[in-house]
């Protein structure tokens, strides 16, 4: 083995036997049959590339040190005594062996290619360009980010060969191209589904531009999918006729005018008339919006409203005052509590009022101490008002939980509408049977009970919601309070096949009546045990699709129905982030493209 150790590669390996060497870094055994070092060099390149890099950097230094060692040894030999001849001879021998090895480790000459910046390949340039546009759309970045000095330096550090496109190229070519590609992909997917559910809403930006959004929800591969179809500027008045024309236009552009199972909107009379009377679509009132109206109505009685205004004034003071905020944090720290900030409500959202009251209850002790120390000219809550605030939060908590659960886009929600409405009615009825000792709380509970009955008393008779509930394997008929309503829904579902029967029986005489088949399947489906409340109903239908083929087809036209128009409202939350002071020059024509990509990427 010693005769073969002339290569510098042996600095990284130790010979084990005539056929193998051990790597000093990973301790793996490498074959060296026939004295070849190719396997060892290949191992270093693939597993330990930095080791070779270190060798290259050290060759110049090693050569100089070897020359110095040789010179020093020769000098020592000329001045040594006779008694040191043997030692000098040994040093000379060692220097003779070391110097040639160091001399062979010469630095590699840099090629001309090392001084030339190679241009990026067109395919890679296109790939990075597309990633840049996606980042701008998903992260709400302005087009001018490509002109920012810091971003350009960052991009240069990542890949010096990449050429950043101009903001004009992004706006006029790259963004529209990506928009058309994503839109075409969604169109192909929607073509394959039997039914869709639409939601719509309107919003006015801080530039006084009015926008309307339309989202689409459907079942494909037994998964609930959601897409934004359009978000566009509305220049005309929001009359029922104009809104109906816009909705009809969007439906025709996407080829879904014959697939709309229902359209979910808020309670505004213009949009309700547009969907119900003009377009003749199945209309579903937004569950969250109805709850919002119910709770706002109940808390606007004089005593409760006065309490809310008092809490709001405290919250506003603490949030505006740096002294009060600092003192509140200090008191929370002294009392060993988590440092929480005050929350402030928004007039149009009842749940923001609930969050404000809940936060006051959570930080009651440090808040009282803070207000006592800084002595603001604020009306303090008396003990009875603290008790009322706590009771109001307890009453509103189920409403907040239901609102959050029913506002989901990823899970089936339409089938839970009846069950949730009846559940809230039972909770409020229990509060009535066990009344509070505080009259304002009693009045609030009575208002809630009356308004729930007004808005949800006939929810079981909303046909599309009743059919959606019946076809959900979590609830079926058990969600209905009125048995008659449940039985009527069971009978109505097979009528879905009436048109199918007329077309098929003429082509295939003698086949069994499709309505009869559907009725038999419905009976079999209802006889199945209920699945857990948190189980996925669409996964259950995936497994049973072949068993209940006809009913499964109906299911896809009903479980796609969402309970709220929150998906359309969420679009405007993002739109507000797109239209900012930094992007105030963004033309209205670009907003729909950016909003569409942000929602669908």
């Amino acid at each position: 083995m010693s005769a073969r150790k002339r290569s510098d590669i042996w600095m990284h390996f130790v010979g084990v036997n005539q056929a193998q060497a051990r790597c000093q870094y990973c301790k793996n055994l490498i074959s060296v049959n026939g004295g070849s070092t190719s396997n060892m060099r290949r191992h270093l390149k693939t597993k330990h590339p930095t080791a070779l890099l270190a060798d290259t950097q050290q060759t110049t230094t090693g050569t100089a040190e070897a020359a110095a060692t040789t010179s020093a040894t020769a000098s020592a030999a000329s001045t040594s005594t006779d008694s040191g001849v043997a030692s000098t001879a040994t040093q000379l021998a060692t220097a003779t062996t070391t110097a040639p090895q160091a001399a062979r480790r010469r630095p590699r000459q840099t090629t001309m290619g090392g001084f030339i910046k190679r241009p990026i390949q067109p395919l890679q340039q296109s790939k990075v360009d597309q990633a840049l546009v996606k980042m701008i759309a998903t992260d709400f970045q302005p087009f001018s980010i490509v002109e920012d000095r810091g971003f350009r330096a960052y991009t240069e550090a990542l890949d010096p060969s990449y050429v950043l496109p101009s903001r004009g190229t992004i706006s006029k070519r790259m963004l529209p191209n990506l928009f058309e590609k994503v839109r075409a992909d969604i169109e192909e997917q929607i073509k394959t589904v039997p039914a869709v559910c639409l939601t719509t809403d309107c919003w006015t930006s801080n530039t006084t531009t009015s926008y309307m959004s339309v989202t689409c929800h459907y079942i494909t591969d037994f998964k609930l999918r959601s897409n934004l179809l359009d978000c566009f500027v509305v220049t005309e008045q929001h009359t029922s006729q104009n809104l109906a024309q816009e909705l009809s236009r969007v439906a025709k552009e996407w080829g879904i005018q014959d697939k709309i199972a229902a359209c979910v909107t808020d309670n505004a009379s213009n949009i309700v008339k547009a969907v119900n009377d003009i377009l003749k679509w199945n209309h579903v009132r937004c569950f969250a919006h109805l709850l919002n109206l119910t709770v706002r109505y109940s808390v606007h009685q004089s005593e409760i409203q006065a309490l809310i205004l008092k809490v709001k004034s405290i919250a506003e003071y603490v949030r505006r005052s740096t002294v009060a905020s600092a003192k509140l944090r200090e008191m929370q720290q002294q009392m060993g509590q988590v440092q929480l900030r005050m929350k402030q409500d928004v007039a149009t959202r009842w749940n923001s009022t609930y969050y404000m009251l809940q936060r006051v209850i959570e930080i009651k002790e440090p808040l009282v101490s803070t207000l006592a120390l800084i002595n603001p000219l604020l009306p303090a809550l008396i003990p009875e008002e603290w008790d009322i605030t706590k009771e109001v939060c307890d009453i509103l908590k189920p409403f907040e939980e239901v609102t959050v659960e029913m506002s989901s886009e990823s899970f089936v929600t339409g089938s839970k509408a009846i069950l949730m409405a009846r559940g809230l009615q039972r909770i409020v009825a229990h509060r009535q049977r066990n009344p509070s000792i505080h009259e304002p709380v009693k009045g609030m509970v009575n208002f809630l009970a009356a308004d729930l009955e007004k808005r949800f008393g006939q929810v079981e008779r909303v046909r599309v919601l009743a059919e959606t509930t019946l076809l959900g394997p979590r609830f079926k008929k058990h969600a209905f309070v009125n048995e008659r309503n449940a039985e009527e829904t069971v009978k109505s579902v097979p009528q879905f096949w009436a048109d199918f029967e007329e077309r098929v029986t003429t082509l295939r005489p003698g086949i069994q009546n499709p309505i009869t088949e559907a009725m038999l399947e419905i009976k079999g489906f209802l006889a199945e045990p209920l699945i857990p409340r948190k189980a996925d109903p669409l996964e259950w239908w995936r497994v049973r699709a072949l068993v209940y083929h006809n009913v499964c087809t109906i299911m896809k036209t009903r479980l796609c129905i969402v309970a709220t128009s929150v998906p359309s409202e969420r679009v405007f939350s993002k739109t507000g982030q797109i239209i900012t002071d930094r992007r105030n020059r963004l033309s209205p024509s670009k907003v729909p493209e950016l909003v569409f990509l942000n929602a669908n990427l």
Side-chain angles (χ1 to χ4, degrees):
M1 291 294 292
S2 60
R4 298 191 182 96
K5 295 182 181 178
R6 292 173 295 177
S7 172
D8 59 350
I9 202 70
W10 284 102
M11 296 175 60
H12 308 283
F13 293 87
V14 175
V16 177
N17 51 46
Q18 294 293 330
Q20 290 181 315
R22 187 184 303 277
C23 175
Q24 295 187 19
Y25 304 109
C26 63
K27 308 304 180 183
N28 285 341
L29 294 177
I30 307 300
S31 174
V32 290
N33 280 330
S36 173
T37 61
S38 299
N39 289 342
M40 294 188 290
R41 193 172 298 278
R42 188 182 302 111
H43 175 78
L44 280 188
K45 286 182 178 180
T46 56
K47 300 297 183 180
H48 315 292
T50 55
L52 288 177
L53 180 62
D55 278 357
T56 304
Q57 294 174 344
Q58 293 175 2
T59 49
T60 304
T61 303
T63 303
E65 289 178 351
T69 302
T70 305
S71 176
T73 305
S75 177
S78 63
T79 58
S80 63
T81 60
D82 293 340
S83 60
V85 171
S87 176
T88 303
T90 303
Q91 293 178 4
L92 286 173
T94 304
T96 304
T97 304
T98 305
Q101 291 180 357
R104 283 196 296 271
R105 294 197 299 271
R106 297 170 182 170
R108 297 180 181 178
Q109 184 177 6
T110 305
T111 61
M112 290 297 296
F115 298 96
I116 301 175
K117 184 171 70 174
R118 296 184 180 181
I120 190 172
Q121 295 297 320
L123 183 62
Q124 182 65 14
Q125 175 80 28
S126 176
K127 183 178 177 180
V128 179
D129 285 346
Q130 189 175 68
L132 174 64
V133 179
K134 288 182 178 179
M135 182 205 70
I136 290 175
T138 55
D139 294 342
F140 313 113
Q141 298 292 341
F143 298 140
S144 60
I145 190 175
V146 297
E147 300 174 352
D148 293 347
R149 186 176 61 181
F151 183 77
R152 296 182 70 88
Y154 177 70
T155 306
E156 174 75 14
L158 287 177
D159 187 353
S161 65
Y162 174 65
V163 180
L164 273 170
S166 67
R167 60 185 298 176
T169 301
I170 295 175
S171 174
K172 297 176 182 178
R173 180 173 62 84
M174 296 168 60
L175 185 73
N177 289 346
L178 181 61
F179 171 80
E180 292 299 333
K181 179 181 181 301
V182 175
R183 182 187 174 98
D185 292 342
I186 296 175
E187 281 182 340
E188 287 299 317
Q189 192 169 41
I190 291 180
K191 284 181 181 179
T192 64
V193 301
V196 299
C197 172
L198 301 182
T199 75
T200 184
D201 201 1
C202 296
W203 172 74
T204 302
S205 71
N206 55 7
T207 60
T208 66
T209 304
S210 180
Y211 294 91
M212 184 175 184
S213 67
V214 181
T215 67
C216 175
H217 311 266
Y218 52 91
I219 295 174
T220 176
D221 193 26
F222 293 94
K223 296 289 184 182
L224 183 64
R225 307 293 184 187
S226 299
N227 289 115
L228 173 66
L229 298 186
D230 207 347
C231 180
F232 50 91
V233 177
V234 180
T235 57
E236 302 294 335
Q237 291 184 341
H238 292 189
T239 64
S240 300
Q241 191 65 41
N242 290 338
L243 295 179
Q245 289 178 357
E246 294 291 356
L247 287 174
S248 179
R249 175 188 62 80
V250 172
K252 289 179 181 178
E253 285 181 359
W254 288 86
I256 57 174
Q257 58 267 39
D258 297 325
K259 294 183 176 183
I260 299 173
C263 183
V264 185
T265 73
D266 60 21
N267 211 33
S269 59
N270 55 351
I271 191 64
V272 172
K273 182 178 179 181
V275 175
N276 266 336
D277 301 338
I278 301 177
L279 295 174
K280 306 297 183 183
W281 294 346
N282 290 325
H283 179 254
V284 176
R285 296 175 187 265
C286 173
F287 194 94
H289 187 257
L290 292 175
L291 282 186
N292 183 53
L293 294 176
T294 296
V295 177
R296 285 177 59 192
Y297 173 71
S298 68
V299 299
H300 269 69
Q301 57 172 309
S302 58
E303 297 90 344
I304 299 295
Q305 190 63 25
L307 174 62
I308 292 175
L309 291 177
K310 186 179 289 189
V311 174
K312 185 174 182 179
S313 64
I314 295 174
E316 288 177 345
Y317 173 81
V318 174
R319 287 175 64 88
R320 286 199 311 264
S321 172
T322 55
V323 175
S325 297
K327 181 59 69 174
L328 177 61
R329 291 192 297 270
E330 180 184 340
M331 295 306 300
Q332 288 173 330
Q333 186 174 6
Q334 289 180 5
M335 296 182 181
Q337 296 186 8
V338 179
Q339 294 186 7
L340 301 174
R341 296 183 61 192
M342 293 288 293
K343 291 186 177 181
Q344 195 167 346
D345 72 336
V346 179
T348 57
R349 291 291 180 266
W350 75 265
N351 50 353
S352 66
T353 303
Y354 166 77
Y355 295 140
M356 180 182 69
L357 297 178
Q358 186 66 33
R359 178 54 53 86
V360 167
I361 295 297
E362 292 173 350
I363 62 174
K364 175 183 176 180
E365 293 182 3
L367 179 61
V368 170
S369 301
T370 299
L371 296 180
L373 289 173
I374 61 178
N375 193 24
L377 298 177
L378 290 173
L381 296 181
I382 63 177
E384 183 182 4
E385 289 175 328
W386 281 109
D387 294 338
I388 292 175
T389 303
K390 178 67 167 59
E391 286 196 51
V392 169
C393 288
D394 292 340
I395 293 171
L396 295 183
K397 183 178 180 180
F399 288 84
E400 189 271 340
E401 292 174 346
V402 168
T403 300
V404 172
E405 183 165 352
M406 297 297 283
S407 300
S408 172
E409 296 181 54
S410 305
F411 307 101
V412 175
T413 57
S415 62
K416 296 187 284 190
I418 293 177
L419 186 72
M420 292 298 178
R422 295 307 187 214
L424 290 175
Q425 286 182 308
R426 284 193 293 269
I427 291 173
V428 173
H430 176 75
R431 289 277 180 179
Q432 285 182 309
R433 292 192 299 269
N434 301 274
S436 170
I437 62 174
H438 303 291
E439 289 300 325
V441 177
K442 287 182 182 179
M444 175 182 170
V445 171
N446 291 333
F447 276 113
L448 281 173
D451 209 68
L452 282 174
E453 179 60 31
K454 173 185 173 182
R455 301 185 190 278
F456 297 100
Q458 299 298 317
V459 67
E460 294 181 6
R461 301 191 66 82
V462 180
R463 185 173 60 84
V464 289
L465 288 181
E467 292 173 355
T468 302
T469 303
L470 183 74
L471 294 174
R474 295 175 294 179
F475 313 122
K476 301 180 184 177
K477 295 195 297 182
H478 300 279
F480 294 81
V481 173
N482 191 316
E483 184 65 24
R484 180 179 178 182
N485 291 335
E487 293 300 330
E488 289 179 356
T489 305
V490 172
K491 294 177 183 178
S492 71
V493 171
Q495 296 300 321
F496 178 87
W497 290 96
D499 178 65
F500 177 81
E501 176 191 12
E502 293 178 1
R503 291 183 286 107
V504 174
T505 52
T506 57
L507 298 175
R508 298 171 57 191
I511 66 168
Q512 190 175 358
N513 190 323
I515 294 182
T516 304
E517 289 185 9
M519 182 59 76
L520 293 175
E521 288 187 10
I522 280 287
K523 290 182 178 179
F525 164 71
L526 293 177
E528 292 264 10
L530 297 179
I531 64 175
R533 181 178 63 86
K534 293 186 178 181
D536 184 1
L538 295 180
E539 184 60 30
W540 186 93
W541 275 110
R542 180 198 297 274
V543 177
R544 303 296 199 285
L546 296 179
V547 179
Y548 305 113
H549 173 71
N550 293 326
V551 179
C552 184
T553 302
I554 305 174
M555 177 276 300
K556 292 178 181 179
T557 70
R558 290 297 179 262
L559 292 192
C560 65
I561 297 175
V562 294
T564 72
S565 59
V566 171
S568 289
E569 295 181 18
R570 288 197 179 109
V571 170
F572 297 134
S573 298
K574 296 178 179 180
T575 306
Q577 293 177 312
I578 291 176
I579 306 173
T580 61
D581 292 338
R582 194 180 177 196
R583 311 183 75 168
N584 54 12
R585 292 179 294 171
L586 191 65
S587 65
S589 62
K590 291 300 174 186
V591 174
E593 293 180 353
L594 285 169
V595 174
F596 180 88
L597 290 173
N598 181 272
N600 294 316
L601 285 175

